[in-house]
Amino acid sequence: MTYTRVYHLLNADNGMSDISLHRIHISRIRDINDPFEMLAVRADDKELIKVFQSAVDDLNRDNGLLCFSKRWCNPVLWSHYASKHCGICLGFDVANELLQDVSYTKDRLPVRFVDGDSDKRLDEEFARDLLRTKYAHWQYEEEVRAFIELDHSTIENGSYFYPFDGTVALREVILGPLCELPIQRIRELVHSVYERVAVIKARLAFKYFEVVPDEQSVKIENAYWEQKGMPPLYKLSEPLPECNIV
Protein backbone atom coordinates (compact mmCIF):
# COMPACT_ATOMS: atom_id res chain seq x y z
CA MET A 1 0.00 0.00 0.00
CA THR A 2 1.31 3.45 -0.93
CA TYR A 3 0.60 6.67 0.95
CA THR A 4 0.55 10.44 0.48
CA ARG A 5 1.30 12.97 3.22
CA VAL A 6 -1.65 15.35 3.51
CA TYR A 7 -2.80 17.93 6.06
CA HIS A 8 -5.96 18.78 7.98
CA LEU A 9 -6.28 22.16 9.74
CA LEU A 10 -8.71 22.73 12.59
CA ASN A 11 -9.20 24.62 15.85
CA ALA A 12 -7.13 23.67 18.88
CA ASP A 13 -9.95 22.06 20.89
CA ASN A 14 -11.02 19.77 18.06
CA GLY A 15 -7.42 19.01 17.22
CA MET A 16 -6.63 17.89 20.76
CA SER A 17 -9.82 15.83 20.82
CA ASP A 18 -8.84 14.05 17.61
CA ILE A 19 -5.32 13.39 18.93
CA SER A 20 -6.58 12.05 22.24
CA LEU A 21 -9.35 9.90 20.76
CA HIS A 22 -7.37 8.72 17.70
CA ARG A 23 -9.90 9.86 15.14
CA ILE A 24 -10.75 12.54 12.56
CA HIS A 25 -14.07 14.25 12.00
CA ILE A 26 -16.03 13.24 8.90
CA SER A 27 -17.53 16.24 7.11
CA ARG A 28 -21.10 15.97 5.83
CA ILE A 29 -21.56 17.05 2.24
CA ARG A 30 -24.42 19.41 3.10
CA ASP A 31 -22.48 21.04 5.95
CA ILE A 32 -19.24 22.03 4.23
CA ASN A 33 -18.61 25.63 3.26
CA ASP A 34 -19.06 25.40 -0.52
CA PRO A 35 -22.76 25.62 -1.52
CA PHE A 36 -21.83 24.37 -5.00
CA GLU A 37 -20.44 21.11 -3.61
CA MET A 38 -21.46 18.33 -6.03
CA LEU A 39 -23.40 20.96 -8.03
CA ALA A 40 -20.70 22.05 -10.47
CA VAL A 41 -22.99 21.06 -13.33
CA ARG A 42 -24.26 23.59 -15.86
CA ALA A 43 -27.98 23.14 -16.29
CA ASP A 44 -30.38 25.29 -18.29
CA ASP A 45 -33.60 24.29 -16.58
CA LYS A 46 -34.66 24.25 -12.95
CA GLU A 47 -35.96 20.70 -13.06
CA LEU A 48 -32.52 19.33 -13.89
CA ILE A 49 -30.99 21.29 -11.01
CA LYS A 50 -33.63 19.79 -8.69
CA VAL A 51 -32.63 16.32 -9.86
CA PHE A 52 -28.99 16.98 -8.98
CA GLN A 53 -29.90 18.53 -5.63
CA SER A 54 -31.92 15.43 -4.82
CA ALA A 55 -28.96 13.25 -5.79
CA VAL A 56 -26.72 15.22 -3.44
CA ASP A 57 -29.23 14.72 -0.63
CA ASP A 58 -29.20 10.99 -1.31
CA LEU A 59 -25.38 10.91 -1.29
CA ASN A 60 -25.25 12.99 1.89
CA ARG A 61 -27.53 10.56 3.72
CA ASP A 62 -24.98 7.76 3.93
CA ASN A 63 -21.66 9.32 2.95
CA GLY A 64 -19.22 11.92 4.20
CA LEU A 65 -15.83 13.40 3.37
CA LEU A 66 -12.37 13.54 4.85
CA CYS A 67 -10.89 16.79 3.53
CA PHE A 68 -7.14 17.42 3.37
CA SER A 69 -4.69 19.84 1.79
CA LYS A 70 -1.49 18.90 0.00
CA ARG A 71 0.43 21.59 1.88
CA TRP A 72 0.04 23.32 5.23
CA CYS A 73 2.06 26.49 4.64
CA ASN A 74 -0.63 28.70 3.02
CA PRO A 75 -1.55 31.42 5.57
CA VAL A 76 -5.10 31.63 4.18
CA LEU A 77 -5.70 28.01 5.20
CA TRP A 78 -4.68 28.84 8.76
CA SER A 79 -6.96 31.86 8.79
CA HIS A 80 -10.00 30.02 7.44
CA TYR A 81 -9.69 26.61 9.08
CA ALA A 82 -7.41 26.92 12.11
CA SER A 83 -8.99 29.73 14.14
CA LYS A 84 -6.97 32.53 12.58
CA HIS A 85 -3.61 30.80 13.17
CA CYS A 86 -4.52 29.82 16.76
CA GLY A 87 -5.33 26.24 15.83
CA ILE A 88 -3.52 23.07 14.84
CA CYS A 89 -2.56 21.24 11.67
CA LEU A 90 -2.55 17.44 11.69
CA GLY A 91 -0.41 15.68 9.10
CA PHE A 92 -1.49 12.23 7.93
CA ASP A 93 -0.18 9.49 5.71
CA VAL A 94 -3.32 8.45 3.82
CA ALA A 95 -3.56 5.44 1.53
CA ASN A 96 -3.58 6.57 -2.08
CA GLU A 97 -6.49 4.27 -2.85
CA LEU A 98 -8.70 6.49 -0.68
CA LEU A 99 -7.65 9.87 -2.03
CA GLN A 100 -9.07 11.89 -4.91
CA ASP A 101 -7.57 15.14 -6.15
CA VAL A 102 -10.02 18.00 -6.38
CA SER A 103 -10.22 19.66 -9.80
CA TYR A 104 -10.75 23.42 -10.02
CA THR A 105 -12.55 25.18 -12.86
CA LYS A 106 -13.94 28.60 -13.77
CA ASP A 107 -16.82 27.10 -15.74
CA ARG A 108 -19.50 24.70 -14.63
CA LEU A 109 -19.53 21.29 -16.29
CA PRO A 110 -21.95 20.51 -19.12
CA VAL A 111 -24.15 17.50 -18.42
CA ARG A 112 -22.97 14.30 -20.06
CA PHE A 113 -25.19 11.27 -20.57
CA VAL A 114 -24.34 7.77 -21.75
CA ASP A 115 -23.99 7.86 -25.54
CA GLY A 116 -24.98 11.53 -25.42
CA ASP A 117 -28.60 10.47 -24.96
CA SER A 118 -30.51 12.46 -22.30
CA ASP A 119 -32.96 9.58 -21.94
CA LYS A 120 -30.15 7.41 -20.56
CA ARG A 121 -28.30 7.62 -17.25
CA LEU A 122 -25.49 10.04 -16.47
CA ASP A 123 -22.10 9.21 -17.90
CA GLU A 124 -20.12 7.50 -15.09
CA GLU A 125 -16.98 9.57 -15.61
CA PHE A 126 -19.08 12.75 -15.51
CA ALA A 127 -20.62 11.62 -12.21
CA ARG A 128 -17.14 11.06 -10.79
CA ASP A 129 -16.06 14.49 -12.02
CA LEU A 130 -18.92 16.10 -10.11
CA LEU A 131 -17.66 14.56 -6.87
CA ARG A 132 -14.28 16.26 -7.17
CA THR A 133 -14.90 19.55 -9.01
CA LYS A 134 -14.92 22.98 -7.34
CA TYR A 135 -14.87 26.60 -8.43
CA ALA A 136 -11.41 27.95 -9.30
CA HIS A 137 -11.29 30.38 -6.38
CA TRP A 138 -11.02 27.41 -3.98
CA GLN A 139 -7.73 26.41 -5.56
CA TYR A 140 -5.65 27.82 -2.69
CA GLU A 141 -6.79 24.83 -0.63
CA GLU A 142 -4.98 22.32 -2.88
CA GLU A 143 -7.55 19.84 -1.64
CA VAL A 144 -7.54 16.07 -1.74
CA ARG A 145 -10.49 14.17 -0.33
CA ALA A 146 -11.66 10.73 0.68
CA PHE A 147 -15.29 9.65 0.49
CA ILE A 148 -16.35 7.68 3.55
CA GLU A 149 -19.45 5.53 4.00
CA LEU A 150 -21.12 6.49 7.28
CA ASP A 151 -21.72 4.00 10.06
CA HIS A 152 -24.89 5.38 11.61
CA SER A 153 -24.42 3.30 14.77
CA THR A 154 -21.37 5.44 15.66
CA ILE A 155 -22.99 8.89 15.52
CA GLU A 156 -22.06 11.21 18.42
CA ASN A 157 -24.16 14.32 18.94
CA GLY A 158 -24.88 14.48 15.22
CA SER A 159 -21.25 13.95 14.17
CA TYR A 160 -19.33 11.07 12.64
CA PHE A 161 -15.64 10.20 13.00
CA TYR A 162 -13.11 8.03 11.19
CA PRO A 163 -10.62 6.16 13.42
CA PHE A 164 -6.90 6.45 12.80
CA ASP A 165 -5.86 3.15 11.22
CA GLY A 166 -3.61 1.66 8.59
CA THR A 167 -5.15 3.82 5.87
CA VAL A 168 -5.25 7.13 7.78
CA ALA A 169 -2.22 7.40 10.07
CA LEU A 170 -1.27 10.47 12.12
CA ARG A 171 2.32 11.60 11.44
CA GLU A 172 2.60 15.29 12.38
CA VAL A 173 1.14 17.78 14.84
CA ILE A 174 1.87 21.40 13.94
CA LEU A 175 0.83 24.13 16.36
CA GLY A 176 -0.21 27.36 14.66
CA PRO A 177 1.84 30.56 14.97
CA LEU A 178 -0.67 31.97 17.48
CA CYS A 179 -1.59 28.68 19.17
CA GLU A 180 -1.35 29.07 22.95
CA LEU A 181 -1.18 25.39 23.82
CA PRO A 182 2.10 24.54 25.63
CA ILE A 183 4.13 22.62 23.08
CA GLN A 184 6.03 20.57 25.66
CA ARG A 185 2.77 19.27 27.13
CA ILE A 186 1.53 18.38 23.64
CA ARG A 187 4.82 16.59 22.89
CA GLU A 188 4.54 14.55 26.07
CA LEU A 189 0.97 13.52 25.21
CA VAL A 190 1.69 12.66 21.57
CA HIS A 191 4.95 10.82 22.24
CA SER A 192 3.31 8.78 24.98
CA VAL A 193 0.54 7.37 22.77
CA TYR A 194 1.96 7.42 19.21
CA GLU A 195 5.07 5.63 18.00
CA ARG A 196 6.39 8.01 15.36
CA VAL A 197 4.60 11.37 15.31
CA ALA A 198 6.42 14.71 15.23
CA VAL A 199 5.26 17.79 17.15
CA ILE A 200 6.48 21.22 16.10
CA LYS A 201 5.48 24.87 16.24
CA ALA A 202 4.87 27.01 13.16
CA ARG A 203 5.77 30.64 12.62
CA LEU A 204 5.27 33.27 9.93
CA ALA A 205 8.04 33.35 7.33
CA PHE A 206 10.33 36.37 7.31
CA LYS A 207 10.81 36.74 3.55
CA TYR A 208 7.59 35.52 1.90
CA PHE A 209 3.89 34.94 2.57
CA GLU A 210 4.08 31.47 4.06
CA VAL A 211 3.70 29.68 7.37
CA VAL A 212 6.86 27.70 8.10
CA PRO A 213 8.34 25.46 10.82
CA ASP A 214 9.83 27.24 13.82
CA GLU A 215 13.49 26.27 13.77
CA GLN A 216 13.92 25.91 17.53
CA SER A 217 10.92 23.63 17.84
CA VAL A 218 12.27 21.46 15.00
CA LYS A 219 15.68 21.17 16.68
CA ILE A 220 14.06 20.08 19.95
CA GLU A 221 11.85 17.56 18.16
CA ASN A 222 14.74 16.12 16.16
CA ALA A 223 16.86 15.84 19.32
CA TYR A 224 14.12 13.75 20.95
CA TRP A 225 14.22 11.19 18.14
CA GLU A 226 18.01 11.17 17.96
CA GLN A 227 18.15 10.36 21.67
CA LYS A 228 15.94 7.35 20.94
CA GLY A 229 18.36 6.23 18.23
CA MET A 230 16.00 7.16 15.39
CA PRO A 231 16.56 9.50 12.44
CA PRO A 232 15.08 12.99 12.79
CA LEU A 233 11.70 13.61 11.15
CA TYR A 234 12.50 17.11 9.87
CA LYS A 235 15.28 18.91 8.13
CA LEU A 236 15.66 22.67 7.97
CA SER A 237 16.10 23.81 4.39
CA GLU A 238 15.09 26.68 2.18
CA PRO A 239 13.18 28.09 0.51
CA LEU A 240 9.77 26.40 0.76
CA PRO A 241 8.17 24.65 3.73
CA GLU A 242 7.22 21.55 1.76
CA CYS A 243 10.95 20.88 1.34
CA ASN A 244 11.36 20.62 5.11
CA ILE A 245 9.58 17.30 5.39
CA VAL A 246 11.95 14.35 5.18
PDB file of all heavy atoms in Angstrom, residues 84-111:
ATOM      1  N   LYS A  84      -7.830  31.361  12.813  1.00  0.00           N
ATOM      2  CA  LYS A  84      -6.965  32.529  12.576  1.00  0.00           C
ATOM      3  C   LYS A  84      -5.563  32.309  13.127  1.00  0.00           C
ATOM      4  O   LYS A  84      -5.010  33.150  13.838  1.00  0.00           O
ATOM      5  CB  LYS A  84      -7.592  33.788  13.181  1.00  0.00           C
ATOM      6  CG  LYS A  84      -8.968  34.110  12.624  1.00  0.00           C
ATOM      7  CD  LYS A  84      -9.574  35.316  13.308  1.00  0.00           C
ATOM      8  CE  LYS A  84     -10.976  35.591  12.792  1.00  0.00           C
ATOM      9  NZ  LYS A  84     -11.618  36.740  13.484  1.00  0.00           N
ATOM     10  N   HIS A  85      -4.982  31.171  12.806  1.00  0.00           N
ATOM     11  CA  HIS A  85      -3.608  30.804  13.172  1.00  0.00           C
ATOM     12  C   HIS A  85      -3.460  30.367  14.631  1.00  0.00           C
ATOM     13  O   HIS A  85      -2.361  30.092  15.086  1.00  0.00           O
ATOM     14  CB  HIS A  85      -2.622  31.944  12.876  1.00  0.00           C
ATOM     15  CG  HIS A  85      -2.516  32.279  11.422  1.00  0.00           C
ATOM     16  ND1 HIS A  85      -1.396  31.983  10.664  1.00  0.00           N
ATOM     17  CD2 HIS A  85      -3.391  32.867  10.563  1.00  0.00           C
ATOM     18  CE1 HIS A  85      -1.581  32.390   9.419  1.00  0.00           C
ATOM     19  NE2 HIS A  85      -2.785  32.927   9.332  1.00  0.00           N
ATOM     20  N   CYS A  86      -4.568  30.277  15.361  1.00  0.00           N
ATOM     21  CA  CYS A  86      -4.522  29.824  16.759  1.00  0.00           C
ATOM     22  C   CYS A  86      -4.726  28.317  16.888  1.00  0.00           C
ATOM     23  O   CYS A  86      -4.629  27.772  17.993  1.00  0.00           O
ATOM     24  CB  CYS A  86      -5.592  30.540  17.579  1.00  0.00           C
ATOM     25  SG  CYS A  86      -5.367  32.319  17.742  1.00  0.00           S
ATOM     26  N   GLY A  87      -5.001  27.647  15.792  1.00  0.00           N
ATOM     27  CA  GLY A  87      -5.335  26.235  15.833  1.00  0.00           C
ATOM     28  C   GLY A  87      -4.164  25.321  15.565  1.00  0.00           C
ATOM     29  O   GLY A  87      -2.999  25.648  15.827  1.00  0.00           O
ATOM     30  N   ILE A  88      -4.482  24.151  15.010  1.00  0.00           N
ATOM     31  CA  ILE A  88      -3.522  23.069  14.837  1.00  0.00           C
ATOM     32  C   ILE A  88      -3.647  22.522  13.422  1.00  0.00           C
ATOM     33  O   ILE A  88      -4.721  22.542  12.823  1.00  0.00           O
ATOM     34  CB  ILE A  88      -3.803  21.943  15.853  1.00  0.00           C
ATOM     35  CG1 ILE A  88      -3.472  22.393  17.273  1.00  0.00           C
ATOM     36  CG2 ILE A  88      -3.014  20.668  15.539  1.00  0.00           C
ATOM     37  CD1 ILE A  88      -3.820  21.360  18.334  1.00  0.00           C
ATOM     38  N   CYS A  89      -2.552  22.003  12.906  1.00  0.00           N
ATOM     39  CA  CYS A  89      -2.562  21.242  11.670  1.00  0.00           C
ATOM     40  C   CYS A  89      -2.121  19.815  11.979  1.00  0.00           C
ATOM     41  O   CYS A  89      -1.086  19.609  12.623  1.00  0.00           O
ATOM     42  CB  CYS A  89      -1.631  21.875  10.642  1.00  0.00           C
ATOM     43  SG  CYS A  89      -1.462  20.927   9.113  1.00  0.00           S
ATOM     44  N   LEU A  90      -2.897  18.850  11.536  1.00  0.00           N
ATOM     45  CA  LEU A  90      -2.547  17.441  11.693  1.00  0.00           C
ATOM     46  C   LEU A  90      -2.092  16.901  10.344  1.00  0.00           C
ATOM     47  O   LEU A  90      -2.792  17.051   9.340  1.00  0.00           O
ATOM     48  CB  LEU A  90      -3.743  16.632  12.204  1.00  0.00           C
ATOM     49  CG  LEU A  90      -4.360  17.082  13.533  1.00  0.00           C
ATOM     50  CD1 LEU A  90      -5.539  16.195  13.895  1.00  0.00           C
ATOM     51  CD2 LEU A  90      -3.321  17.085  14.649  1.00  0.00           C
ATOM     52  N   GLY A  91      -0.926  16.288  10.318  1.00  0.00           N
ATOM     53  CA  GLY A  91      -0.413  15.680   9.096  1.00  0.00           C
ATOM     54  C   GLY A  91      -0.647  14.183   9.115  1.00  0.00           C
ATOM     55  O   GLY A  91      -0.372  13.518  10.122  1.00  0.00           O
ATOM     56  N   PHE A  92      -1.154  13.646   8.016  1.00  0.00           N
ATOM     57  CA  PHE A  92      -1.487  12.225   7.930  1.00  0.00           C
ATOM     58  C   PHE A  92      -0.801  11.589   6.726  1.00  0.00           C
ATOM     59  O   PHE A  92      -0.614  12.231   5.694  1.00  0.00           O
ATOM     60  CB  PHE A  92      -2.997  12.029   7.750  1.00  0.00           C
ATOM     61  CG  PHE A  92      -3.829  12.465   8.917  1.00  0.00           C
ATOM     62  CD1 PHE A  92      -4.330  13.767   8.982  1.00  0.00           C
ATOM     63  CD2 PHE A  92      -4.125  11.585   9.947  1.00  0.00           C
ATOM     64  CE1 PHE A  92      -5.111  14.172  10.048  1.00  0.00           C
ATOM     65  CE2 PHE A  92      -4.903  11.986  11.019  1.00  0.00           C
ATOM     66  CZ  PHE A  92      -5.399  13.282  11.077  1.00  0.00           C
ATOM     67  N   ASP A  93      -0.471  10.327   6.869  1.00  0.00           N
ATOM     68  CA  ASP A  93      -0.181   9.487   5.707  1.00  0.00           C
ATOM     69  C   ASP A  93      -1.469   8.744   5.388  1.00  0.00           C
ATOM     70  O   ASP A  93      -1.948   7.928   6.192  1.00  0.00           O
ATOM     71  CB  ASP A  93       0.948   8.505   6.012  1.00  0.00           C
ATOM     72  CG  ASP A  93       2.317   9.158   5.965  1.00  0.00           C
ATOM     73  OD1 ASP A  93       2.425  10.274   5.427  1.00  0.00           O
ATOM     74  OD2 ASP A  93       3.285   8.550   6.474  1.00  0.00           O
ATOM     75  N   VAL A  94      -2.039   9.039   4.221  1.00  0.00           N
ATOM     76  CA  VAL A  94      -3.320   8.450   3.824  1.00  0.00           C
ATOM     77  C   VAL A  94      -3.089   7.553   2.607  1.00  0.00           C
ATOM     78  O   VAL A  94      -2.373   7.926   1.672  1.00  0.00           O
ATOM     79  CB  VAL A  94      -4.356   9.544   3.492  1.00  0.00           C
ATOM     80  CG1 VAL A  94      -5.666   8.919   3.031  1.00  0.00           C
ATOM     81  CG2 VAL A  94      -4.587  10.430   4.705  1.00  0.00           C
ATOM     82  N   ALA A  95      -3.700   6.382   2.636  1.00  0.00           N
ATOM     83  CA  ALA A  95      -3.563   5.441   1.527  1.00  0.00           C
ATOM     84  C   ALA A  95      -4.051   6.070   0.228  1.00  0.00           C
ATOM     85  O   ALA A  95      -5.130   6.665   0.174  1.00  0.00           O
ATOM     86  CB  ALA A  95      -4.351   4.166   1.827  1.00  0.00           C
ATOM     87  N   ASN A  96      -3.238   5.954  -0.794  1.00  0.00           N
ATOM     88  CA  ASN A  96      -3.582   6.574  -2.080  1.00  0.00           C
ATOM     89  C   ASN A  96      -4.894   6.061  -2.649  1.00  0.00           C
ATOM     90  O   ASN A  96      -5.584   6.777  -3.379  1.00  0.00           O
ATOM     91  CB  ASN A  96      -2.451   6.348  -3.085  1.00  0.00           C
ATOM     92  CG  ASN A  96      -1.217   7.176  -2.764  1.00  0.00           C
ATOM     93  OD1 ASN A  96      -1.322   8.244  -2.155  1.00  0.00           O
ATOM     94  ND2 ASN A  96      -0.058   6.682  -3.139  1.00  0.00           N
ATOM     95  N   GLU A  97      -5.242   4.830  -2.315  1.00  0.00           N
ATOM     96  CA  GLU A  97      -6.486   4.274  -2.853  1.00  0.00           C
ATOM     97  C   GLU A  97      -7.718   5.000  -2.332  1.00  0.00           C
ATOM     98  O   GLU A  97      -8.790   4.918  -2.931  1.00  0.00           O
ATOM     99  CB  GLU A  97      -6.581   2.786  -2.513  1.00  0.00           C
ATOM    100  CG  GLU A  97      -6.654   2.494  -1.026  1.00  0.00           C
ATOM    101  CD  GLU A  97      -6.550   1.015  -0.712  1.00  0.00           C
ATOM    102  OE1 GLU A  97      -5.787   0.314  -1.393  1.00  0.00           O
ATOM    103  OE2 GLU A  97      -7.239   0.568   0.223  1.00  0.00           O
ATOM    104  N   LEU A  98      -7.572   5.735  -1.227  1.00  0.00           N
ATOM    105  CA  LEU A  98      -8.696   6.493  -0.678  1.00  0.00           C
ATOM    106  C   LEU A  98      -8.820   7.882  -1.265  1.00  0.00           C
ATOM    107  O   LEU A  98      -9.904   8.465  -1.286  1.00  0.00           O
ATOM    108  CB  LEU A  98      -8.556   6.627   0.844  1.00  0.00           C
ATOM    109  CG  LEU A  98      -8.751   5.392   1.718  1.00  0.00           C
ATOM    110  CD1 LEU A  98      -8.625   5.786   3.189  1.00  0.00           C
ATOM    111  CD2 LEU A  98     -10.105   4.748   1.461  1.00  0.00           C
ATOM    112  N   LEU A  99      -7.702   8.450  -1.719  1.00  0.00           N
ATOM    113  CA  LEU A  99      -7.653   9.874  -2.031  1.00  0.00           C
ATOM    114  C   LEU A  99      -8.071  10.185  -3.467  1.00  0.00           C
ATOM    115  O   LEU A  99      -7.761   9.442  -4.398  1.00  0.00           O
ATOM    116  CB  LEU A  99      -6.245  10.409  -1.802  1.00  0.00           C
ATOM    117  CG  LEU A  99      -5.755  10.439  -0.355  1.00  0.00           C
ATOM    118  CD1 LEU A  99      -4.308  10.904  -0.300  1.00  0.00           C
ATOM    119  CD2 LEU A  99      -6.641  11.347   0.491  1.00  0.00           C
ATOM    120  N   GLN A 100      -8.743  11.340  -3.594  1.00  0.00           N
ATOM    121  CA  GLN A 100      -9.069  11.887  -4.905  1.00  0.00           C
ATOM    122  C   GLN A 100      -8.652  13.353  -4.937  1.00  0.00           C
ATOM    123  O   GLN A 100      -8.989  14.116  -4.027  1.00  0.00           O
ATOM    124  CB  GLN A 100     -10.571  11.782  -5.185  1.00  0.00           C
ATOM    125  CG  GLN A 100     -11.115  10.377  -5.235  1.00  0.00           C
ATOM    126  CD  GLN A 100     -12.582  10.358  -5.637  1.00  0.00           C
ATOM    127  OE1 GLN A 100     -13.024  11.135  -6.474  1.00  0.00           O
ATOM    128  NE2 GLN A 100     -13.339   9.453  -5.036  1.00  0.00           N
ATOM    129  N   ASP A 101      -7.923  13.731  -5.970  1.00  0.00           N
ATOM    130  CA  ASP A 101      -7.573  15.136  -6.153  1.00  0.00           C
ATOM    131  C   ASP A 101      -8.804  15.928  -6.551  1.00  0.00           C
ATOM    132  O   ASP A 101      -9.601  15.478  -7.388  1.00  0.00           O
ATOM    133  CB  ASP A 101      -6.521  15.299  -7.250  1.00  0.00           C
ATOM    134  CG  ASP A 101      -5.131  14.916  -6.782  1.00  0.00           C
ATOM    135  OD1 ASP A 101      -4.909  14.865  -5.563  1.00  0.00           O
ATOM    136  OD2 ASP A 101      -4.270  14.657  -7.645  1.00  0.00           O
ATOM    137  N   VAL A 102      -8.957  17.098  -5.962  1.00  0.00           N
ATOM    138  CA  VAL A 102     -10.022  18.004  -6.378  1.00  0.00           C
ATOM    139  C   VAL A 102      -9.567  18.763  -7.622  1.00  0.00           C
ATOM    140  O   VAL A 102      -8.420  19.208  -7.724  1.00  0.00           O
ATOM    141  CB  VAL A 102     -10.384  18.985  -5.250  1.00  0.00           C
ATOM    142  CG1 VAL A 102     -11.289  20.103  -5.757  1.00  0.00           C
ATOM    143  CG2 VAL A 102     -11.061  18.231  -4.107  1.00  0.00           C
ATOM    144  N   SER A 103     -10.469  18.910  -8.581  1.00  0.00           N
ATOM    145  CA  SER A 103     -10.216  19.659  -9.802  1.00  0.00           C
ATOM    146  C   SER A 103     -10.906  21.019  -9.698  1.00  0.00           C
ATOM    147  O   SER A 103     -12.048  21.105  -9.235  1.00  0.00           O
ATOM    148  CB  SER A 103     -10.737  18.884 -11.012  1.00  0.00           C
ATOM    149  OG  SER A 103     -10.585  19.631 -12.205  1.00  0.00           O
ATOM    150  N   TYR A 104     -10.216  22.067 -10.132  1.00  0.00           N
ATOM    151  CA  TYR A 104     -10.755  23.424 -10.018  1.00  0.00           C
ATOM    152  C   TYR A 104     -11.027  23.997 -11.410  1.00  0.00           C
ATOM    153  O   TYR A 104     -10.226  23.831 -12.330  1.00  0.00           O
ATOM    154  CB  TYR A 104      -9.773  24.315  -9.262  1.00  0.00           C
ATOM    155  CG  TYR A 104      -9.488  23.809  -7.873  1.00  0.00           C
ATOM    156  CD1 TYR A 104      -8.367  23.016  -7.622  1.00  0.00           C
ATOM    157  CD2 TYR A 104     -10.349  24.084  -6.814  1.00  0.00           C
ATOM    158  CE1 TYR A 104      -8.107  22.534  -6.345  1.00  0.00           C
ATOM    159  CE2 TYR A 104     -10.093  23.602  -5.530  1.00  0.00           C
ATOM    160  CZ  TYR A 104      -8.974  22.831  -5.315  1.00  0.00           C
ATOM    161  OH  TYR A 104      -8.731  22.333  -4.054  1.00  0.00           O
ATOM    162  N   THR A 105     -12.169  24.667 -11.548  1.00  0.00           N
ATOM    163  CA  THR A 105     -12.553  25.182 -12.857  1.00  0.00           C
ATOM    164  C   THR A 105     -13.291  26.511 -12.719  1.00  0.00           C
ATOM    165  O   THR A 105     -13.948  26.766 -11.705  1.00  0.00           O
ATOM    166  CB  THR A 105     -13.455  24.167 -13.598  1.00  0.00           C
ATOM    167  OG1 THR A 105     -13.839  24.705 -14.866  1.00  0.00           O
ATOM    168  CG2 THR A 105     -14.713  23.861 -12.790  1.00  0.00           C
ATOM    169  N   LYS A 106     -13.197  27.349 -13.742  1.00  0.00           N
ATOM    170  CA  LYS A 106     -13.944  28.604 -13.769  1.00  0.00           C
ATOM    171  C   LYS A 106     -15.351  28.409 -14.321  1.00  0.00           C
ATOM    172  O   LYS A 106     -16.239  29.234 -14.094  1.00  0.00           O
ATOM    173  CB  LYS A 106     -13.195  29.638 -14.618  1.00  0.00           C
ATOM    174  CG  LYS A 106     -11.879  30.104 -14.024  1.00  0.00           C
ATOM    175  CD  LYS A 106     -11.226  31.148 -14.916  1.00  0.00           C
ATOM    176  CE  LYS A 106      -9.908  31.630 -14.324  1.00  0.00           C
ATOM    177  NZ  LYS A 106      -9.251  32.638 -15.188  1.00  0.00           N
ATOM    178  N   ASP A 107     -15.533  27.335 -15.062  1.00  0.00           N
ATOM    179  CA  ASP A 107     -16.815  27.100 -15.737  1.00  0.00           C
ATOM    180  C   ASP A 107     -17.466  25.833 -15.201  1.00  0.00           C
ATOM    181  O   ASP A 107     -16.793  24.844 -14.906  1.00  0.00           O
ATOM    182  CB  ASP A 107     -16.588  26.945 -17.249  1.00  0.00           C
ATOM    183  CG  ASP A 107     -15.946  28.173 -17.860  1.00  0.00           C
ATOM    184  OD1 ASP A 107     -16.456  29.284 -17.616  1.00  0.00           O
ATOM    185  OD2 ASP A 107     -14.934  28.013 -18.571  1.00  0.00           O
ATOM    186  N   ARG A 108     -18.774  25.881 -15.074  1.00  0.00           N
ATOM    187  CA  ARG A 108     -19.501  24.701 -14.631  1.00  0.00           C
ATOM    188  C   ARG A 108     -19.545  23.658 -15.744  1.00  0.00           C
ATOM    189  O   ARG A 108     -19.473  23.984 -16.930  1.00  0.00           O
ATOM    190  CB  ARG A 108     -20.900  25.104 -14.161  1.00  0.00           C
ATOM    191  CG  ARG A 108     -20.822  26.005 -12.929  1.00  0.00           C
ATOM    192  CD  ARG A 108     -22.157  26.547 -12.502  1.00  0.00           C
ATOM    193  NE  ARG A 108     -22.962  25.539 -11.809  1.00  0.00           N
ATOM    194  CZ  ARG A 108     -24.057  25.852 -11.116  1.00  0.00           C
ATOM    195  NH1 ARG A 108     -24.473  27.117 -11.047  1.00  0.00           N
ATOM    196  NH2 ARG A 108     -24.750  24.911 -10.511  1.00  0.00           N
ATOM    197  N   LEU A 109     -19.663  22.393 -15.353  1.00  0.00           N
ATOM    198  CA  LEU A 109     -19.527  21.288 -16.285  1.00  0.00           C
ATOM    199  C   LEU A 109     -20.828  21.043 -17.052  1.00  0.00           C
ATOM    200  O   LEU A 109     -21.903  20.984 -16.456  1.00  0.00           O
ATOM    201  CB  LEU A 109     -19.152  20.011 -15.532  1.00  0.00           C
ATOM    202  CG  LEU A 109     -17.918  20.083 -14.632  1.00  0.00           C
ATOM    203  CD1 LEU A 109     -17.725  18.745 -13.920  1.00  0.00           C
ATOM    204  CD2 LEU A 109     -16.678  20.449 -15.432  1.00  0.00           C
ATOM    205  N   PRO A 110     -20.747  20.882 -18.358  1.00  0.00           N
ATOM    206  CA  PRO A 110     -21.954  20.511 -19.118  1.00  0.00           C
ATOM    207  C   PRO A 110     -22.350  19.077 -18.775  1.00  0.00           C
ATOM    208  O   PRO A 110     -21.503  18.214 -18.556  1.00  0.00           O
ATOM    209  CB  PRO A 110     -21.513  20.637 -20.573  1.00  0.00           C
ATOM    210  CG  PRO A 110     -20.022  20.461 -20.535  1.00  0.00           C
ATOM    211  CD  PRO A 110     -19.562  21.038 -19.230  1.00  0.00           C
ATOM    212  N   VAL A 111     -23.643  18.839 -18.739  1.00  0.00           N
ATOM    213  CA  VAL A 111     -24.150  17.502 -18.417  1.00  0.00           C
ATOM    214  C   VAL A 111     -23.765  16.523 -19.523  1.00  0.00           C
ATOM    215  O   VAL A 111     -23.870  16.826 -20.707  1.00  0.00           O
ATOM    216  CB  VAL A 111     -25.683  17.522 -18.254  1.00  0.00           C
ATOM    217  CG1 VAL A 111     -26.190  16.132 -17.862  1.00  0.00           C
ATOM    218  CG2 VAL A 111     -26.098  18.539 -17.221  1.00  0.00           C
TER     219      VAL A 111
END
